[in-house]
Amino acid sequence: MAYNDQLHTLDVFDLAAKTVSHISMAEDGPNAILRPIGGLYVHHTDSIWVYSQGYAFLLDGTGKIAQKIELPVPENGYIMTDANYSLATNRLFYNKDRNSLFYSCTQPEKELFSAVEYSLGSGSVKTYQLKGAGPDEDIRTDYGLMQLPNVTFTDNCILYNFPIESNIYRISLDTDKETIHGGQSKYTPNQASRCKTPFTLPEGGRHSVENVHFYEVSYDKTKKMYYRLHAGKSVMVGDNEFFKAYQTKPLYLMFFDQDLRVVDEIELENDIYSYITSWGVVDGSFFMTKNHWNDDSNDFEKYQLKMFSFKEAEKD
């Protein structure tokens, strides 16, 4: 399932039948949800959580609102539920066992990041600070556009990492203990260079193109393992060539066991996959969208995926 910002619908992809259906969301009236939604979590096809404008909405399979909750945020903070290839990825998550919603927040004035657990039963709030042990204290000022953490929630832990470095941090929901895991790539540098504030947009764009970028960690419930995509370095010739140069960045996929030990890493084919649209986990495999602008054979009227499985060859 994915959000269609042009139609303001939830698009449901049936991979077996190769069909797409749509769940329309109202823009006025009692079931109104304002454009755009910034977070989406599918618990069941008739139990869908979305986030918009400070509120979490529980929808049924027809788009009707079953529950509406104003999510609390830290003082002078705001909620992060964006998925942006050049910045960071933060998603909404519903934990069935704890009957809680999880989401990420930032407090720019204090230069703090946190994960928030909101209990649907009691209304209580628990905050987990995302400090990280690897990046220096200047993460908010010295790394251009790559200043925000990627945050992933699972049933028993919070995982986060920073685009500028390979380390992965895990917080246990049972013990609150935090551990750090190296996650180092064998193909690329494992730390980005600095880009100090203040910087111009062209300077920030050049820094993003000419450095590695580590994306969020994805959890595979079926195989009890993790995946992480990251982009290598490229070269930016002119200040106005950001999009073109970013498309030339090489892509790598890493596989981790349940203890976050690296078990494999592969380099993906050039000019085939795009990190501007979508990737994730489905049916025990990691998928990438096949819609690179430089692929002359690509049909942009079709939604094409490629599946990657650990210890298996690539398969269409």
Side-chain angles (χ1 to χ4, degrees):
M1 187 177 295
Y3 174 58
N4 186 324
D5 63 344
Q6 299 298 307
L7 300 177
H8 196 48
T9 61
L10 299 177
D11 293 354
V12 184
F13 296 86
D14 186 328
L15 299 184
K18 296 184 179 181
T19 59
V20 182
S21 57
H22 308 279
I23 300 174
S24 297
M25 290 180 287
E27 297 189 68
D28 51 44
N31 288 295
I33 299 176
L34 297 178
R35 293 174 181 251
I37 69 168
L40 169 64
Y41 180 81
V42 182
H43 184 56
H44 293 298
T45 53
D46 61 349
S47 181
I48 306 162
W49 287 98
V50 299
Y51 171 82
S52 175
Q53 308 291 321
Y55 291 88
F57 301 86
L58 178 62
L59 309 181
D60 64 14
T62 67
K64 187 176 181 179
I65 297 175
Q67 193 173 359
K68 177 182 178 181
I69 301 168
E70 184 174 8
L71 296 178
V73 296
E75 182 182 4
N76 296 322
Y78 65 87
I79 295 173
M80 302 184 296
T81 56
D82 297 321
N84 187 309
Y85 72 95
S86 64
L87 300 177
T89 298
N90 293 270
R91 305 185 189 278
L92 185 68
F93 180 78
Y94 171 66
N95 190 310
K96 177 183 177 182
D97 295 335
R98 301 168 73 95
N99 192 27
S100 297
L101 286 174
F102 283 79
Y103 50 97
S104 309
C105 291
T106 181
Q107 296 166 271
E109 293 181 2
K110 297 182 178 180
E111 298 183 359
L112 294 176
F113 306 114
S114 60
V116 177
E117 178 182 5
Y118 176 76
S119 172
L120 297 175
S122 66
S124 62
V125 177
K126 183 174 182 178
T127 300
Y128 305 82
Q129 295 299 325
L130 309 179
K131 298 179 180 179
D136 54 52
E137 295 180 356
D138 298 324
I139 177 68
R140 286 303 303 265
T141 59
D142 279 10
Y143 291 96
L145 301 174
M146 299 188 287
Q147 300 173 5
L148 302 176
N150 304 303
V151 185
T152 301
F153 301 105
T154 74
D155 291 336
N156 54 28
C157 70
I158 300 168
L159 296 151
Y160 70 99
N161 67 301
F162 294 90
I164 66 165
E165 54 131 17
S166 64
N167 287 331
I168 299 170
Y169 306 90
R170 177 161 59 183
I171 301 174
S172 168
L173 296 181
D174 295 328
T175 66
D176 290 346
K177 180 181 178 182
E178 181 169 334
T179 54
I180 180 172
H181 307 267
Q184 293 189 337
S185 170
K186 64 184 179 182
Y187 291 109
T188 69
N190 290 289
Q191 174 78 43
S193 64
R194 292 174 180 267
C195 178
K196 291 188 176 183
T197 300
F199 58 87
T200 65
L201 190 57
E203 288 172 341
R206 179 178 293 275
H207 177 260
S208 295
V209 168
E210 296 180 348
N211 276 278
V212 292
H213 185 120
F214 293 92
Y215 296 105
E216 81 278 10
V217 177
S218 300
Y219 180 56
D220 185 340
K221 283 187 176 182
T222 302
K223 294 185 176 177
K224 293 182 171 56
M225 63 184 303
Y226 302 91
Y227 310 92
R228 186 186 62 192
L229 189 72
H230 76 279
K233 302 191 299 182
S234 187
V235 177
M236 188 164 170
V237 178
D239 287 343
N240 298 320
E241 298 294 324
F242 171 76
F243 182 78
K244 181 179 180 180
Y246 211 97
Q247 287 283 340
T248 66
K249 287 170 73 70
L251 284 172
Y252 306 89
L253 178 61
M254 300 185 71
F255 302 79
F256 302 83
D257 65 16
Q258 61 183 346
D259 296 316
L260 287 170
R261 292 184 295 247
V262 178
V263 293
D264 199 7
E265 180 179 10
I266 59 174
E267 181 175 6
L268 304 187
E269 295 177 80
N270 292 330
D271 298 342
I272 299 294
Y273 310 103
S274 174
Y275 29 73
I276 294 179
T277 50
S278 62
W279 60 79
V281 178
V282 63
D283 296 334
S285 297
F286 185 87
F287 74 84
M288 282 289 297
T289 307
K290 296 175 62 178
N291 64 346
H292 198 286
W293 291 103
N294 293 338
D295 184 2
D296 294 333
S297 65
N298 190 37
D299 184 351
F300 287 96
E301 295 300 318
K302 296 180 179 179
Y303 186 58
Q304 301 178 82
L305 306 178
K306 189 123 180 179
M307 314 298 287
F308 298 87
S309 298
F310 177 56
K311 291 185 179 178
E312 296 179 12
E314 296 179 12
K315 56 183 181 180
D316 290 313

